[in-house]
Amino acid sequence: QVKSPNIDRLARSGVRFDRAYCQFPLCSPSRTSILTGLRPDTTQVYDLQKHFRSVIPDVVTLPQMFMRNGYFAARVGKIYHYGNPGQIGTPGLDDAPSWNVALNPRGRDKDEEDKLTNHTPKRGLGSALVFMKAEGTDEEQTDGKVATEVIRLLESNKDKPFFIAAGFYRPHCPYIAPKKYFDLYPMEKITMAQGSFPEALAAPKPSLASVAPWPWFGTTETQSREAKQAYYATISFVDAQVGRLLDALDRLKLAEKTIVVFWSDHGYHEGEHGLWMKQSLWEGSARAPLLIHAPGAKGNGGFSPRTVEFVDIFPTLADLAGLTPPKNLAGASLRPLLESPAAPWTKPAFTQVWRGSYPGHTVRTERWRYTEWDNGRQGAQLFDMASDPQELHDLAAEPAHAGTVKQLKSLVAKNWANEYRPSGGKGGKQAAKKEK
C-alpha cells in the first residue's frame, strides 16, 4: 500500500533482508548498538539519556573505524540519538569522535509545531499520534535539508574515500510531510486492524506495556486511521529524499563504487495487537528494514530470507571495505548472504527491552519467535512464524511444543548469561520515558 519507488529502486540494486532485527526497539539503544557493533548489555544504553562513552569510553565506533583508515566521515541529521522533535537543529546525543563533520539541519517542520494536530495530547510530541499536512516544498523540511547537505558532501568529497551518514527524522512522529504526500493515501483506503485482539488479551501483560492506555493509546478508530495516513505520507516523503541521494550518486558516477546501507532503528506497530509504535517484542517492533547495495555482489537484485541482526552491519561493512574491525564485535559479516542471499545461515537474532526493574528477551530463528519476561517469571510466548506470521496463536503452554520452548529458552539464557541489570531498574524506567 505504501508508495516507496526509490527505496524499491535501491532494493532492486542490492539485497533486501526480509528478516532483519534490531537489538532494542528504541532509538538510542538501537543506534548505539548498530554504531558500536555491541549488544545493549555491553553498551548499557537502555534509555534516551545515557551516552555509551560513559561506560565504554575507548570503544571504536563504525565511522571511527573508517576515519582511522583514511576515510572522510560525516553525518547529517539523526544518526546517534536525537530527541525528536525536541533536539532537531542541535547535536542531540551525538558522538563527536565519530565524525570529521557533523551537521544539524532545522526545517520549517520544527518551526511550525503550533500547527500540529495531536490526537494524544497527554503524550510528548515524540511519542504521540500527531501530524501535520505541511505547506511548502520538500527542501524546506528538515529531512529535505538533510538530503541537500548530504548531496553537498558527496559533491565535495567524491574523489576521496568517504563514510557519509544521512540521518532522516521521518517517519518518526510527529508525522509531518508536505500535503502532496498525504494525497497519495485517501482516507477511505486506510484501515485499522479489526476485532478485540484476543491474542493480546491473552498475552503476558508486559508484552502490551508499550502502549498505555491500550489499545491504540485510547484513540478512536478514525483518529488512528488519520495518524496512519500521516505515517504513510512521511514514508513516501522520506522515500523522495532517498531518491535525491540515489540520483546524486548516479550523477557523480559514484553508484558503482559506493556501498549503500538503508536501515531503520526499529520496527513499528500500526495498530496490530492494539499497539502503536515501538518498544514491544512482537515481530512488528523487533523487525526492521535493511537493504545493502554492495557494488559487484552476486546477490544484488535478490532478497534474503535469513535471520540477521543489526549488530551484523558493522562487521559487514568492515569486510566489504577490506578493513580490520575491533575484535569484540557481537555480529557476523553478511557478505556470504550478499553473494548468495539464500546461503545457509544458522545465527539467530536477539532483541530486548526493559519493563521497570525486569527485562524482556526474545529470540528469532528462521521458524520461531520465543519471548520471555523477567526470565519467564512474568510470562513467555512462542509463535510459529512460518504458519502464524501475525502472531495470533501463542504455543508456549502447549505440551507438544515443550521441546521447542526448552531449546529456545536455552538460546535466550546463553545470549544473556552475563546480563547487566540497571541499579533499581533505573535504566528500564528511563527507557519508557517519552521522547521530547
Side-chain angles (χ1 to χ4, degrees):
Q1 185 177 7
V2 176
K3 297 171 176 61
S4 55
N6 296 292
I7 297 171
D8 295 349
R9 164 186 164 195
L10 178 59
R12 288 193 298 270
S13 74
V15 176
R16 186 183 83 235
F17 289 89
D18 283 356
R19 295 290 177 267
Y21 297 90
C22 68
Q23 271 45 78
F24 198 117
L26 181 67
C27 299
S28 190
S30 179
R31 290 164 183 267
T32 296
S33 180
I34 290 169
L35 291 159
T36 63
L38 304 172
R39 298 191 186 279
D41 282 349
T42 302
T43 68
Q44 296 180 23
V45 175
Y46 307 104
D47 59 32
L48 304 178
Q49 289 83 34
K50 190 171 189 175
H51 199 286
F52 61 91
R53 290 205 186 270
S54 68
V55 178
I56 42 176
D58 298 323
V59 68
V60 176
T61 66
L62 176 59
Q64 269 187 301
M65 177 190 68
F66 281 93
M67 287 175 64
R68 291 185 175 191
N69 285 276
Y71 284 67
F72 169 76
R75 72 146 179 90
V76 183
K78 183 177 178 177
I79 297 297
Y80 289 99
H81 181 64
Y82 276 69
N84 190 354
Q87 292 179 316
I88 288 177
T90 77
L93 204 63
D94 191 34
D95 180 57
S98 289
W99 316 106
N100 299 115
V101 171
L103 302 176
N104 308 299
R106 174 181 174 134
R108 65 183 294 179
D109 48 303
K110 176 60 182 169
D111 298 329
E112 296 181 345
E113 288 177 359
D114 59 320
K115 299 179 181 179
L116 290 166
T117 298
N118 192 347
H119 288 325
T120 53
K122 293 183 180 180
R123 301 182 62 82
L125 294 181
S127 62
L129 296 183
V130 55
F131 59 91
M132 178 170 61
K133 300 178 181 179
E135 301 289 346
T137 66
D138 287 16
E139 289 77 9
E140 294 175 287
Q141 298 289 313
T142 298
D143 281 339
K145 292 177 179 289
V146 168
T148 297
E149 294 296 341
V150 170
I151 291 168
R152 287 175 181 165
L153 288 171
L154 289 171
E155 291 170 341
S156 59
N157 294 279
K158 63 184 177 63
D159 296 322
K160 65 180 74 169
F162 61 75
F163 180 101
I164 298 176
F168 295 117
Y169 292 82
R170 310 300 167 217
H172 195 290
C173 52
Y175 312 120
I176 303 173
K179 288 181 178 180
K180 62 184 178 181
Y181 295 105
F182 284 76
D183 294 340
L184 296 173
Y185 304 102
M187 276 297 294
E188 61 268 20
K189 294 186 178 181
I190 303 295
T191 61
M192 296 296 293
Q194 298 298 306
S196 58
F197 308 112
E199 80 288 353
L201 292 170
K205 288 184 179 180
S207 71
L208 306 178
S210 58
V211 171
W214 181 91
W216 299 346
F217 293 123
T219 61
T220 66
E221 181 179 1
T222 297
Q223 289 173 328
S224 270
R225 285 173 58 225
E226 289 177 346
K228 193 171 183 179
Q229 178 198 41
Y231 174 59
Y232 287 177
T234 58
I235 296 174
S236 290
F237 165 56
V238 168
D239 178 81
Q241 311 320 305
V242 171
R244 293 175 61 198
L245 301 186
L246 297 179
D247 288 345
L249 289 176
D250 288 339
R251 173 172 57 83
L252 297 170
K253 301 189 183 327
L254 292 170
E256 289 311 312
K257 56 181 180 179
T258 302
I259 301 164
V260 181
V261 181
F262 176 90
W263 56 277
S264 178
D265 48 6
H266 47 71
Y268 212 74
H269 291 295
E270 304 172 28
E272 73 277 17
H273 313 303
L275 299 176
W276 260 110
M277 304 184 190
K278 54 199 173 188
Q279 287 212 75
S280 90
L281 293 181
W282 300 82
E283 181 83 352
S285 176
R287 179 184 166 200
L290 178 62
L291 307 172
I292 300 178
H293 165 74
K298 295 179 181 178
N300 283 342
F303 69 93
S304 178
R306 300 300 177 231
T307 301
V308 303
E309 305 180 275
F310 277 6
V311 286
D312 298 331
I313 293 174
F314 195 150
T316 300
L317 291 179
D319 189 2
L320 292 174
L323 304 180
T324 301
K327 294 181 179 180
N328 63 335
L329 298 186
S333 173
L334 299 173
R335 190 168 193 165
L337 298 180
L338 294 173
E339 298 296 333
S340 178
W345 186 267
T346 59
K347 187 167 145 313
F350 299 96
T351 305
Q352 66 188 103
V353 294
W354 278 88
R355 294 288 187 255
S357 61
Y358 62 87
H361 296 139
T362 188
V363 60
R364 179 68 155 87
T365 67
E366 294 234 345
R367 179 175 177 181
W368 303 98
R369 173 173 296 288
Y370 172 73
T371 304
E372 60 181 32
W373 299 95
D374 195 14
N375 299 311
R377 288 183 286 271
Q378 305 288 335
Q381 297 164 279
L382 174 69
F383 297 100
D384 184 342
M385 303 302 294
S387 62
D388 181 26
Q390 294 180 310
E391 297 173 302
L392 300 177
H393 307 288
D394 184 358
L395 306 174
E398 295 192 6
H401 296 287
T404 300
V405 169
K406 182 179 179 180
Q407 178 185 12
L408 296 175
K409 188 176 181 66
S410 69
L411 284 178
V412 167
K414 182 179 179 180
N415 187 66
W416 281 285
N418 299 310
E419 179 184 52
Y420 169 80
R421 283 181 172 269
S423 177
K426 181 179 179 181
K429 290 178 181 177
Q430 288 186 347
K433 285 187 176 181
K434 301 171 184 176
E435 291 190 62
K436 295 182 181 179

